Amino acid sequence: MNIVFCVMLLSGVVYAATTGNLSAAQDALLSGAGEAVSLCLSLAGAYAFFGGLLAVLRESGAADALSRCLRPLLSRLLPFAPGEEKAMGDICINLSCNMLGMGSAATPAGLAAMKTMAAAGGNTGVASDAMILFFVLNSACPEILPTTMIALRAQHGAVNPADIVLPVLLSTGISAMAGIALCRLLVRGGEECA
Amino acid sequence: MTALLLPSLVTAVILYGLCRRVNVYEAFVRGAREGLLTLCAIAPYLAAILTATALLRACRAMDALIVLLQPVFSALGLPAEVAGVVLLRPLSGSAALAAVGDVLRACGPDSRAGFLACVISGAGETVFFTASLYLGAAGVRRSRHALGAALAAYACGVLAAGILCR
């Protein structure tokens, strides 16, 4: 992330300087962080609400029951290090909410799972194999109904706005499988990058 | 359908909690606190990534990159119009949405380019944003191959969409 961040900033500034667009760059630099703060404020309610709901699920044992059902599948999929399987309940909730397109419910569970896994590894600041694969699954997660896109297509007068459902499902499926395969190849001991 | 989902979910969770003799109120408050603390913890990461994204968009470096890469897209069998959508999707959800809107207006929603733009945008995810959230929440400083694998998976999804939508 360090390299990505520096490259983005430096190339932006250099490009703005060469094209004489420095005032736009200045505005963007000053407003970007403010955008983050207002985004956080708009997310705060959802995080508090879904965080609360998740805690009820966790403390009533429903998350454990769910993770027991999906344990065989998940432990084969994610290369858990000892202790990391404690995050399985949150992982189940995160992945199922993602597929249902409830991003605001999925993220708090996903972040809780990441924290649990990081704590299991002793908070070393190094991403474990399971943490990486879980993140990759989150950035390539099949969504059963891509509602935003269907609405946008309908708004532009598509003959059949929902006809993208199957291609979306197939291409995220392929994308997720590619991600899983890559992570399998790059398990601990493999090359480091970015 | 979706309007029914959340209320019924809440009802089910509360009833299950009551059956299991959980203090639902206390548990909810604990969880809400945890959610808000997580949000505070990731806010600085978001400030960093959104600043970088805003800069790249405002100085039109993204537009230049898109024009530059359009021939590559044609070579890969993807319509040049979707280059913007493909490149913006991992960076910013709202920018990608605007790009899809442009393609739909220019080519129509039932053209190959319009269809593909929707599929790619629906299948993709804001990878950099997700990375700063997930890696930030876990306090990860060395992310190893996380970002590379996520972007490669995205590229595979885009190419697959190109082949699927002939």
Side-chain angles (χ1 to χ4, degrees):
Chain A
M1 285 305 282
N2 183 27
I3 300 165
V4 172
F5 181 63
C6 295
V7 167
M8 281 167 89
L9 280 186
L10 291 178
S11 60
V13 171
V14 169
Y15 186 83
T18 50
T19 52
N21 220 344
L22 277 173
S23 63
Q26 185 195 354
D27 291 346
L29 285 172
L30 290 173
S31 66
E35 243 175 72
V37 173
S38 39
L39 177 69
C40 280
L41 281 181
S42 67
L43 285 175
Y47 275 53
F49 170 69
F50 284 111
L53 211 57
L54 275 175
V56 178
L57 270 177
R58 228 177 271 142
E59 290 181 26
S60 61
D64 285 340
L66 185 65
S67 69
R68 261 196 303 280
C69 296
L70 291 170
R71 180 175 297 258
L73 180 72
L74 272 184
S75 54
R76 203 156 300 166
L77 189 64
L78 290 159
F80 285 119
E84 286 187 334
E85 67 279 351
K86 269 184 290 191
M88 220 184 282
D90 284 328
I91 290 176
C92 293
I93 295 172
N94 167 271
L95 293 179
S96 33
C97 287
N98 254 331
M99 288 186 206
L100 293 172
M102 299 195 295
S104 50
T107 314
L111 298 184
M114 285 299 272
K115 274 182 168 170
T116 311
M117 289 194 277
N123 285 322
T124 51
V126 182
S128 73
D129 292 328
M131 282 160 76
I132 292 177
L133 184 48
F134 177 56
F135 155 68
V136 170
L137 282 180
N138 258 283
S139 47
C141 192
E143 193 182 321
I144 292 167
L145 267 182
T147 41
T148 319
M149 277 305 124
I150 295 175
L152 192 67
R153 285 176 65 69
Q155 193 189 321
H156 282 270
V159 177
N160 182 3
D163 54 4
I164 57 164
V165 170
L166 193 63
V168 165
L169 213 54
L170 284 174
S171 47
T172 38
I174 289 169
S175 159
M177 277 191 279
I180 294 168
L182 258 174
C183 287
R184 287 268 133 161
L185 286 175
L186 294 169
V187 284
R188 204 170 273 286
E191 281 300 304
E192 287 187 21
C193 70
Chain B
M1 164 62 196
T2 35
L4 206 66
L5 191 61
L6 196 55
S8 46
L9 189 71
V10 172
T11 315
V13 170
I14 302 282
L15 287 180
Y16 190 76
L18 284 175
C19 287
R20 289 306 195 86
R21 302 190 176 280
V22 172
N23 187 328
V24 175
Y25 175 67
E26 301 269 324
F28 186 93
V29 172
R30 260 196 297 280
R33 176 177 298 118
E34 197 186 307
L36 289 174
L37 288 177
T38 306
L39 194 64
C40 284
I42 56 174
Y45 296 95
L46 290 186
I49 201 72
L50 290 185
T51 301
T53 316
L55 175 65
L56 282 185
R57 283 178 61 196
C59 70
R60 311 215 161 274
M62 278 316 286
D63 299 349
L65 189 66
I66 290 163
V67 173
L68 202 69
L69 287 179
Q70 271 172 355
V72 181
F73 280 84
S74 312
L76 289 170
L78 297 164
E81 293 87 352
V82 303
V85 178
V86 173
L87 292 177
L88 287 171
R89 190 70 184 90
L91 273 179
S92 153
S94 52
L97 205 58
V100 174
D102 290 342
V103 177
L104 291 183
R105 258 188 301 280
C107 311
D110 292 307
S111 65
R112 176 158 185 258
F115 189 78
L116 206 50
C118 291
V119 171
I120 290 168
S121 187
E125 180 60 69
T126 45
V127 175
F128 290 100
F129 181 78
T130 313
S132 63
L133 276 180
Y134 279 68
L135 303 177
V140 168
R141 283 188 302 277
R142 275 174 52 201
S143 56
R144 299 168 65 217
H145 54 272
L147 212 48
L151 288 175
Y154 171 65
C156 289
V158 169
L159 289 178
I163 294 167
L164 285 168
C165 311
R166 281 272 162 228

